[in-house]
Amino acid sequence: MHIPDGFLDGSVAATMAVPAVAAVAYGVRRAGRTLDDSKVPLLGVTAAFIFAVQMLNFPVAGGTSGHLMGGALAAVLLGPWLACIVMAVVVAGQAFVFADGGITALGANIFNMGVVGALGVGLAMVLARRILPANRTVFLSVAGVGAWASVMLGALLASAQLGLSGTVPFATVLPAMLGVHALIGIGEAVITVAALSAVLATRPDLIDGAGFGPLSTAPLTPAAEVAS
Amino acid sequence: MTRMPVVVFTVLALALAVGLATAVSPYASPQPDGLERVAGDTGFLEEGGLHAVQEDSPIPDYAFPGIADERLATGVAGFVGTLGIFLVGYGIAWGLRRTRGAEGATAP
């Protein structure tokens, strides 16, 4: 869902940079309080994994492919704000080194593919923790459904930005985008749940999970403690 | 049960990521992705283009320059890119990490 330059009107692209920069800046600010030494390699490897799996386009219906976005996965692993940093690293790297996704559209791409999924799934995890039992099935279900929803929300936002830019009528692009991304989102959910299952099987205590602490033997995570 | 050390976990996860990007990405679907497909179907694909700074991208379109074999070029791009993103992410996290505990005597 990388928007290249030319698809968005300059003012729409610039406007989308505002929430993207704000979210990443807040993540940077929080990192000074919550990112301890043990999370440094985890942030690096989460970014690397998302970059790698984004290269693995899988076929969906009718000569179309899709790939992981990763915002949901990063949010569950590292918490929503560190996830915004991870997604900015991945999407900016793709734009500047691989010419994948535009430069003026960078804010929109970080927001659509990263920030929205990270914050949305982070919020879903917090809410689920309050009202649902803390067990593996609930945890993976929330992550999987959240991953699918993050793709749909990204598609909705991209459609709105294209519509506001006058590139294509919103009413035309929205159903097309939602239709194909409903399928791509299933891939997002499968990959997210598979990756989380692998971490649960090896080091469940490394999962931030917005306070799904009882899943592991570890005490509550720093992100849950520093909820202020 | 002894826990896998974080270093081992990181190395294994990184090895998986590098392996996927190097050995599997050359066989990924070459079809247009969702947005490209919709752009083609609804007639605005032609409006997209590269930004001026992307004309000289180091690894344009995930193909490592100077390698004729397409799959090899993609695999090398995946290898270099995944390690590069790891180093950048690690470096940024190192720069941003919590230092308050180290400066003051307030252990977390």
Side-chain angles (χ1 to χ4, degrees):
Chain A
M1 210 193 298
H2 293 72
I3 299 173
D5 279 331
F7 277 14
L8 298 185
D9 174 75
S11 60
V12 172
T15 304
M16 290 318 298
V18 175
V21 168
V24 175
Y26 184 69
V28 165
R29 197 167 149 245
R30 274 186 73 100
R33 285 188 284 139
T34 62
L35 198 145
D36 50 37
D37 284 3
S38 67
K39 275 197 174 176
V40 170
L42 299 178
L43 195 149
V45 83
T46 302
F49 183 81
I50 289 171
F51 172 83
V53 179
Q54 281 210 7
M55 287 184 73
L56 308 181
N57 284 61
F58 49 84
V60 294
T64 311
S65 73
H67 63 72
L68 180 79
M69 298 197 315
L73 174 61
V76 178
L77 288 173
L78 297 168
W81 298 107
L82 292 181
C84 290
I85 300 175
V86 165
M87 294 308 296
V89 168
V90 171
V91 176
Q94 289 168 329
F96 284 104
V97 180
F98 299 90
D100 189 16
I103 301 296
T104 59
L106 188 55
N109 282 328
I110 290 173
F111 191 75
N112 298 348
M113 292 190 289
V115 171
V116 165
L119 301 191
V121 172
L123 181 64
M125 279 283 160
V126 170
L127 294 176
R129 183 70 185 85
R130 289 201 183 143
I131 59 175
L132 296 171
N135 62 51
R136 191 174 181 278
T137 307
V138 167
F139 172 77
L140 290 177
S141 302
V142 173
V145 172
W148 181 83
S150 75
V151 175
M152 294 300 274
L153 205 51
L156 167 68
L157 284 162
S159 302
Q161 291 150 15
L162 290 163
L164 287 170
S165 297
T167 307
V168 59
F170 179 64
T172 304
V173 74
L174 182 68
M177 283 292 280
L178 291 184
V180 66
H181 285 94
L183 298 173
I184 294 173
I186 295 171
E188 181 91 14
V190 168
I191 295 167
T192 301
V193 169
L196 290 174
S197 300
V199 182
L200 279 178
T202 45
R203 281 294 300 259
D205 57 300
L206 295 181
I207 295 179
D208 182 286
F212 266 78
L215 277 172
S216 71
T217 54
L220 283 178
T221 57
E225 287 165 16
V226 192
S228 56
Chain B
M1 195 175 81
T2 47
R3 272 198 204 151
M4 181 187 288
V6 172
V7 175
V8 176
F9 176 87
T10 302
V11 169
L12 285 178
L14 183 61
L16 174 65
V18 171
L20 289 171
T22 309
V24 181
S25 78
Y27 301 94
S29 170
Q31 303 291 346
D33 77 1
L35 175 61
E36 285 174 300
R37 175 59 187 266
V38 169
D41 287 352
T42 57
F44 63 94
L45 187 60
E46 301 305 316
E47 296 187 32
L50 291 180
H51 190 278
V53 307
Q54 292 177 315
E55 301 290 350
D56 302 311
S57 288
I59 312 177
D61 209 20
Y62 302 91
F64 202 86
I67 299 176
D69 186 277
E70 273 183 36
R71 285 191 166 147
L72 186 60
T74 302
V76 174
F79 179 87
V80 172
T82 304
L83 282 179
I85 290 284
F86 172 75
L87 291 175
V88 170
Y90 191 104
I92 287 175
W94 179 255
L96 297 177
R97 78 193 187 283
R98 180 169 59 181
T99 50
R100 199 173 42 185
E103 288 164 9
T106 51

